Amino acid sequence: MFGEIEVVSLVREAITRGAHERVAELVDAYPLEVWFGMRPDEFQLVVAEASRSRAGRTGTVALFAPVFVASGIVAEPLSPEGSTGLERDLHVLAQAVATRMRGHAPEAWARVRGIGLVTDPVPRGVDPTRGLRAFALFQAGFTASLAGDLGEAMDLYAKAELCPVPKSLDFLRRHALVRHALIHALFGDRSVAERLERGLLTAGRTDSWVEQEIGAETVLLRSLLRPADEAEQAFDAIAAVDATAVGEMWPFYLLGVFRLAVIAGDHVRMLGVIDWFDRANLVGSGGPGLPGSVLCSARAVEALLDGDARRARRALRGADKDLWDIRLLAAALSLVGGRTARAVRQLEELASGTARLRQAENLRVICLAMAARADGDEELALARLRGLAPHLDPYATAALALLAPELTEAASTRLEGWPRPAATDSGLKGLRVRPTLTDREFDMLKALARGMTREQTAEALFVTVNTVKTHQRSLYRKLNANDRATALVEAQRLGLL
């Protein structure tokens, strides 16, 4: 048995001697030690060197070759007929990683989710795969996250954290730990993210190049876990991260930085984040799954926060309609359009998609509360918000304050423990949900627009003046108005006239 450094030294020595068979044998026996012990560009050359031998065309070298197809260094390998179960799993894994790197995460996830390395129980003690199981679980977890299956991703990362690995490959477990924590920091339970982050403090570092990626992701994680009033410091910390270390994780960086901009109420930074990632033309940005939809989602959120529902609808064209956040935004747009019954139905159907993601569930419940208030039922709106107060996250707090400031004020006044948003003056216009009006309230609105008095309205509708007063009060409440002029201005802005 060799350590990581010894294996790498032996491979380099064999390359210098032109011993292709020896290079292939070493890579075949210690693929992860060689892969992660060398710089990526050097490892690509090793694969090219090893593939010249007969062993390199039939062993682990050939199985991992698809990962490097995009670079043109090696060709797609043939399916390893007659190979062992482990080799078949590695073949499928390699094909899935190559598919994901070409921007097709959902297809890659469908390929890899059923292989034995992913589905079999984690062994106790020594794992005979020498880290390949942990590697497969980590890659499957990341693929699931890019496909939008965050619950499965968390389960696979947790499984990878428990997997025995050689000491030189301990970074596999640490990497799974930080990505597991990032899902919780962005969408799940912040307290779980904090617990996982503390676990990073006790884990040892290695000399692998992957430590740079882990370090960059740890900075993002810790920035997201800062208190809301430290959003500016969080921005500064992330700005210092080397952009080359982001790689395929770019959708999570975009989400993280964009959320910090929302928390800080910084509209300029929101637009800057979207613009930078849009121009970068990153892997998968035009395809299915999270990479193909994350920019659509960010644009739609920015547009909603700025009170432009039409622009938000345009932003969601082409987004993956199966992703929970896209479904949530579709419900929000139904709400903005005054279709509260449809919005509530969409939000109720979304419950299973947000059940394991506390912060996502916070946003879903907030939209339900906004729907109740749009229907004129503030008590129901506050009842829905009441259970959120103990674990409301900074992003949801800021989003509600920008989308529905009146509801935020009511919650702050009447709900014990309701947090105040960090930002108070964002420059954003905010979202005004179009209220659902009854037929009688529409009649009142039309009468107001025609300049009719209460008596004239009562006579035209064959009702009493008191009935007109009742419907007008209800109309004014829904339009957040105290007089005829304000009601008419608001009705025109909302497209009700």
Side-chain angles (χ1 to χ4, degrees):
M1 294 293 179
F2 301 109
E4 175 187 305
I5 296 176
E6 290 85 354
V7 172
V8 171
S9 297
L10 290 171
V11 170
R12 286 171 176 156
E13 179 186 342
I15 289 175
T16 300
R17 292 188 288 106
H20 309 313
E21 295 292 335
R22 180 57 174 161
V23 172
E25 289 170 3
L26 287 167
V27 175
D28 191 45
Y30 303 97
L32 298 181
E33 286 87 346
V34 178
W35 187 343
F36 291 105
M38 290 181 158
R39 299 187 315 276
D41 58 337
E42 185 181 14
F43 183 68
Q44 288 182 343
L45 295 175
V46 169
V47 172
E49 187 78 16
S51 64
R52 297 177 186 175
S53 71
R54 183 172 59 183
R57 290 190 292 272
T58 59
T60 306
V61 176
L63 296 174
F64 276 95
V67 175
F68 301 99
V69 168
S71 66
I73 291 178
V74 291
E76 289 265 6
L78 299 174
S79 178
E81 297 179 7
S83 57
T84 66
L86 175 61
E87 288 174 331
R88 285 193 296 272
D89 280 359
L90 290 177
H91 176 75
V92 174
L93 175 64
Q95 295 283 357
V97 171
T99 300
R100 187 189 76 210
M101 292 175 70
R102 289 194 289 267
H104 301 285
E107 180 187 345
W109 172 226
R111 284 189 179 198
V112 78
R113 67 186 306 167
I115 66 174
L117 282 172
V118 170
T119 60
D120 290 348
V122 171
R124 295 183 178 181
V126 177
D127 181 2
T129 70
R130 286 188 52 79
L132 288 172
R133 188 184 311 278
F135 175 73
L137 288 167
F138 174 81
Q139 291 294 336
F142 183 48
T143 304
S145 71
L146 290 182
D149 198 339
L150 298 176
E152 286 283 357
M154 291 190 293
D155 290 342
L156 291 167
Y157 283 143
K159 198 172 177 181
E161 292 160 32
L162 299 173
C163 206
V165 295
K167 187 175 181 180
S168 62
L169 300 177
D170 197 50
F171 60 80
L172 288 170
R173 294 192 296 185
R174 291 178 52 247
H175 212 171
L177 189 71
V178 72
R179 290 197 177 175
H180 187 184
L182 271 171
I183 292 177
H184 275 291
L186 282 166
F187 314 108
D189 189 328
R190 284 172 63 88
S191 64
V192 173
E194 289 165 352
R195 175 176 57 78
L196 292 170
E197 188 274 334
R198 288 193 293 271
L200 291 170
L201 300 175
T202 62
R205 290 176 59 88
T206 66
D207 294 326
S208 173
W209 56 266
V210 83
E211 293 289 354
Q212 183 184 17
E213 286 186 12
I214 297 173
E217 291 164 23
T218 301
V219 170
L220 175 62
L221 170 64
R222 289 172 176 163
S223 298
L224 290 169
L225 294 177
R226 281 178 179 254
D229 58 1
E230 295 181 11
E232 288 294 331
Q233 295 93 316
F235 270 115
D236 293 340
I238 294 176
V241 171
D242 183 356
T244 62
V246 174
E248 286 185 279
M249 279 291 288
W250 73 266
F252 297 94
Y253 274 83
L254 188 159
L255 285 169
V257 178
F258 183 80
R259 285 182 172 222
L260 287 171
V262 173
I263 292 168
D266 193 331
H267 191 202
V268 173
R269 265 186 167 147
M270 288 182 214
L271 294 171
V273 169
I274 293 170
D275 182 60
W276 189 93
F277 280 94
D278 193 22
R279 287 185 289 104
N281 193 28
L282 296 158
V283 175
S285 56
L290 181 62
S293 297
V294 66
L295 273 165
C296 300
S297 173
R299 289 192 193 100
V301 171
E302 182 275 324
L304 283 173
L305 294 178
D306 201 30
D308 194 335
R310 183 175 298 177
R311 184 156 53 86
R313 287 191 182 89
R314 288 200 304 269
L316 290 183
R317 292 173 187 167
D320 189 335
K321 302 300 189 293
D322 292 329
L323 298 178
W324 72 265
D325 59 328
I326 303 302
R327 293 170 64 192
L328 180 72
L329 285 166
L333 285 169
S334 294
L335 184 58
V336 173
R339 294 170 292 178
T340 53
R342 178 181 178 182
V344 169
R345 185 170 63 254
Q346 290 172 305
L347 292 165
E348 289 174 346
E349 291 171 352
L350 181 59
S352 61
T354 59
R356 295 186 59 192
L357 304 168
R358 174 169 282 181
Q359 294 181 64
E361 177 64 5
N362 286 348
L363 294 171
R364 188 185 76 88
V365 173
I366 281 172
C367 285
L368 282 169
M370 290 171 62
R373 194 172 192 280
D375 278 339
D377 194 340
E378 187 166 290
E379 293 306 315
L380 177 57
L382 292 174
R384 284 174 167 163
L385 294 178
R386 186 168 285 110
L388 299 186
H391 50 257
L392 195 64
D393 57 281
Y395 178 70
T397 303
L400 179 61
L402 292 168
L403 292 171
E406 299 93 347
L407 184 54
T408 293
E409 186 60 33
S412 300
T413 303
R414 297 182 55 187
L415 300 182
E416 184 178 355
W418 191 266
R420 289 276 182 180
T424 56
D425 185 13
S426 64
L428 290 160
K429 297 171 187 154
L431 179 67
R432 183 74 171 95
V433 175
R434 182 188 295 178
T436 302
L437 303 184
T438 66
D439 290 342
R440 276 300 188 214
E441 288 164 350
F442 264 118
D443 290 337
M444 296 302 119
L445 181 58
K446 291 173 185 176
L448 290 175
R450 292 173 185 147
M452 295 169 65
T453 65
R454 287 173 178 167
E455 290 74 14
Q456 290 171 330
T457 303
E459 183 177 349
L461 298 176
F462 304 102
V463 297
T464 66
V465 172
N466 283 338
T467 299
V468 171
K469 289 179 180 179
T470 299
H471 289 305
Q472 280 188 351
R473 281 197 297 269
S474 177
L475 174 66
Y476 284 3
R477 185 178 69 251
K478 289 185 178 182
L479 295 176
N480 196 30
N482 295 316
D483 54 51
R484 176 193 297 261
T486 305
L488 290 174
V489 168
E490 187 65 8
Q492 287 176 335
R493 192 175 82 81
L494 294 171
L496 293 170
L497 286 174

